[in-house]
Amino acid sequence: CAILDVQAACQDAIVTQELLKEGFHRDLLVKVELGAVGEDAGGCAVAARTRLPPGIYVDPYELASLQQHNLTKAVLIPDVIDVEAPEYLATNLLVLLYMEPDPRCSRCFRAALPVHGRYHRPAEESEEALVVLKSPEVLVCCCDNRLSAECWKSAEVEAPCSGQNIGPCQWYSVTHKLAYEESILQVPVGLRQHSSLVCVVTLLATVLCSSLILAAVCKYGHFS
């Protein structure tokens, strides 16, 4: 890593967090513009640490595929996730999302991560459940860098610098300004008054499909 001349005056980082797309399957886009590392942040690793509420999760198998193709880098805590659990049986998820430099800005970083909404309990009136996603904590690791104690505070994070298994680094938490305090995910939910209709339709569909499978087996199956 290159040695950076840190400005004595502290400048807050600017953080923008967006949920892209619609429905259950979204992309979490995080952008960070550092303000306390001078004009060039090329020698720094930047990560966003965020807590996902029970209504949102990251698919570890999808994440592994993306990391295999070098499309994203992230650490999930815990790393074992029940992707089938509904919102009321799930727990919070801690995500450390490693960010890539933005070629259009020497102090800017960005990263995207696929997230998915969980099924919620049926509601009485509203057809949507609101899941609130708080703004992430910004973490920075600058190798061989004279960091200003007034601008940075040590963060208790045991994680590699760049998402690779090369040993933990000393991360620092950065004070930052929020473009938005929080992001809202609107998840479609069913209505309680439709429960009887859904049960009847589901039962009829199950009986019909089972009958078709049984008829096909009887017609084309070979029995000794």
Side-chain angles (χ1 to χ4, degrees):
C1 297
I3 296 178
L4 304 178
D5 292 325
V6 180
Q7 293 179 343
C10 297
Q11 300 177 14
D12 290 342
I14 300 176
V15 179
T16 303
Q17 178 177 260
E18 300 178 68
L19 284 168
L20 309 179
K21 301 180 181 178
E22 299 292 335
F24 281 93
H25 309 290
R26 313 290 286 270
D27 284 336
L28 176 63
L29 175 63
V30 182
K31 301 178 183 178
V32 173
E33 181 180 351
L34 297 179
V37 293
E39 294 300 323
D40 183 14
C44 295
V46 180
R49 184 169 64 168
T50 184
R51 288 190 179 276
L52 299 183
I56 308 177
Y57 73 95
V58 176
D59 187 335
Y61 304 104
E62 181 183 22
L63 177 60
S65 177
L66 292 173
Q67 294 191 130
Q68 184 178 5
H69 293 86
N70 202 30
L71 296 177
T72 190
K73 297 176 184 178
V75 173
L76 305 180
I77 304 173
D79 56 357
V80 178
I81 300 171
D82 185 356
V83 299
E84 301 294 337
E87 177 270 340
Y88 48 87
L89 295 179
T91 58
N92 292 340
L93 174 65
L94 182 63
V95 180
L96 188 63
L97 179 61
Y98 297 92
M99 313 189 73
E100 296 292 335
D102 190 333
R104 297 168 296 181
C105 172
S106 62
R107 294 182 291 113
C108 300
F109 296 78
R110 59 184 294 155
L113 181 69
V115 296
H116 308 275
R118 293 188 182 273
Y119 290 107
H120 287 62
R121 294 184 187 274
E124 294 290 347
E125 298 178 357
S126 175
E127 296 184 0
E128 290 182 331
L130 301 182
V131 181
V132 179
L133 183 59
K134 298 293 185 180
S135 180
E137 178 186 7
V138 179
L139 303 176
V140 175
C141 176
C142 298
C143 297
D144 300 324
N145 187 23
R146 300 186 300 276
L147 299 177
S148 173
E150 289 122 4
C151 301
W152 312 73
K153 63 178 181 179
S154 179
E156 298 296 330
V157 178
E158 287 291 333
C161 278
S162 59
Q164 300 174 354
N165 191 19
I166 57 175
C169 292
Q170 177 61 64
W171 290 90
Y172 291 87
S173 181
V174 182
T175 57
H176 58 276
K177 297 177 181 178
L178 306 178
Y180 308 99
E181 289 289 340
E182 57 191 25
S183 299
I184 305 294
L185 174 65
Q186 296 178 320
V187 180
V189 297
L191 297 177
R192 291 186 183 276
Q193 56 264 38
H194 296 163
S195 298
S196 299
L197 177 62
V198 171
C199 291
V200 171
V201 172
T202 302
L203 178 60
L204 292 177
T206 302
V207 172
L208 175 61
C209 293
S210 300
S211 301
L212 292 175
I213 294 174
L214 182 60
V217 169
C218 293
K219 183 176 181 180
Y220 300 105
H222 299 282
F223 304 96
S224 56

